[in-house]
Amino acid sequence: MADAFSPVQIGPIGLRNRFIRSGANEMMVKASLPTRSLLELHRAIAAGGTGMTTLAYIAISRDGRTFSEQGVIDDRAVPHYRAITDAIHAEGAKASAQITHGGSFVQHKELSTRRAMSSSGGIDKMGVMMGRVFQRQMTRADMDQIVGEFVAAAERAVAAGFDAVELHMGHGYLLNQYVSPLSNKRTDEYGGTAANRIRYPAEVLAAVKRAVGDRIAVLAKINLLDGVAKGATVDDAIVTARALEAAGADMLVLSAGRNIEASWQIFGSPMPYDDLAAMQGGLLAKLQFKLLKATTPKNLAFRELYLLDAAKKVRAAVSTKLGYLGGVQSLEGAETALDAGFDAVVMARALVHDPDIVNKFRADRSHHSQCTACNRCVAVMYGPAGTYCPVVDNPIDVALNQIPAGEDIRHAA
Ligand SMILES: Cc1cc2nc3c(=O)[nH]c(=O)nc-3n(C[C@H](O)[C@H](O)[C@H](O)COP(=O)(O)O)c2cc1C
């Protein structure tokens, strides 16, 4: 049986064990700079025994932010992120930066262009709520610019002491807007077949890999399936994984679902739409959540390792390192995934619920997460404290809530 506590090599970096904290938007950012809450959270996750922790959802540019209050990895942010990676390293873990561009998901008013851009033009489903009715199809010049922004972001991640970057190609953000046929309607060599749809994200990854070389690992988070009719399928994911392997990915993290069309598919359990509607003002947002609730499959019951069957099909098709993600809640679950050939397990909610869970697995093989997959952590994400588990009072959440927002963290490590 695989040993979840054995070290693993991911490209140029070595992890002390097989547990990775998945990128799960912390919302612990002020004026696009990370706060001390973010530092203390990741310090706690690292002290809790994970091999690598991922800082979620950092925008590659100000225009690439989905929300105003989202971290941006610009020059000014480098020393702030350095304080966090120093704190993570002091606890013996590695640090990864998930870097992303929202594409047509951009929902802030400070966008420097009239329309948000995406793989294709058409109605801007997110922008429409703030008066941007249409999005525009990216030109070659736009595509080159975004490649450059991903490369510059990865270079800054190196400068900030990260051990890895994870390019977000899932859940509906810009690079996924190329991969998924739900948003990619292009008729050139970047649209149509699965091989064409992954072409641009693979170009981005290859450019990042060329730039950073062996200084850090380059990961990508991809969708196994979108989970809705006419969306990307597992067969598409096999094509995607092969293309990213050829482009030089050091590891792929396998996820699923789309934020708008199938958020329940990301989590394997229904979203708390009533809580989400209560957290977000505006009639349109409330109506949107009502609609999403109506389109969620009935009788959707969470089960541990809910993406394993789909993930195994990709495992059989590529030899690159793969991180299994989706409902890991116990050491037995982690070992089942590792025995199926995955190189690491990637966990979000079990670690939101308890940052110390890896140490608990080590102390007691039978320890099982008490996370109920209610997804209320997603609803509270937009509140003043950022992401935490509202079901339990764990010591780190209590401590984080006492940290003043926006405190300078450069000397806190
Ligand atoms: C509060 C919260 C925020 C999340 N934010 C992100 C994110 O910023 N980027 C991302 O790729 N996935 C995000 N996710 C999805 C998780 O990374 C993961 O794919 C999903 O929760 C399934 O893994 P799990 O069963 O271990 O929780 C988020 C999940 C949660 C619970």
Side-chain angles (χ1 to χ4, degrees), residues 231-349:
T233 62
V234 180
D235 287 340
D236 292 347
I238 289 171
V239 176
T240 294
R242 286 187 176 140
L244 296 176
E245 178 171 45
D250 293 310
M251 185 162 100
L252 302 176
V253 173
L254 306 174
S255 186
R258 298 255 302 181
N259 273 338
I260 298 188
E261 297 89 347
S263 47
W264 46 269
Q265 181 69 70
I266 300 177
F267 299 101
S269 55
M271 299 301 292
Y273 289 117
D274 296 335
D275 290 21
L276 280 161
M279 286 299 286
Q280 300 208 358
L283 197 61
L284 267 176
K286 287 189 194 316
L287 277 173
Q288 190 194 27
F289 287 122
K290 276 213 173 329
L291 187 70
L292 289 172
K293 187 175 178 182
T295 54
T296 298
K298 308 288 170 251
N299 310 321
L300 183 68
F302 176 83
R303 61 185 170 85
E304 197 168 357
L305 309 184
Y306 56 90
L307 293 176
L308 190 59
D309 291 345
K312 278 180 179 169
K313 293 186 182 151
V314 172
R315 177 65 294 172
V318 292
S319 55
T320 192
K321 295 256 158 64
L322 294 180
Y324 173 78
L325 170 143
V328 176
Q329 292 205 324
S330 63
L331 185 55
E332 193 188 345
E335 287 170 346
T336 302
L338 296 173
D339 282 341
F342 296 92
D343 302 282
V345 289
V346 187
M347 300 157 67
R349 285 165 296 180

Side-chain angles (χ1 to χ4, degrees), residues 22-26 56-57 98 166 168 170-171 173 221 254-256 266-268 302 306-307 325-329 346-352 371 375 377-379 381 387-388:
S22 183
N25 189 7
E26 307 88 352
Y57 199 48
Q98 182 182 60
E166 178 183 281
H168 198 348
H171 302 176
Y173 299 95
K221 185 165 184 176
L254 306 174
S255 186
I266 300 177
F267 299 101
F302 176 83
Y306 56 90
L307 293 176
L325 170 143
V328 176
Q329 292 205 324
V346 187
M347 300 157 67
R349 285 165 296 180
L351 279 159
V352 171
C371 167
N375 300 325
C377 49
V378 181
M381 188 160 84
T387 301
Y388 66 97

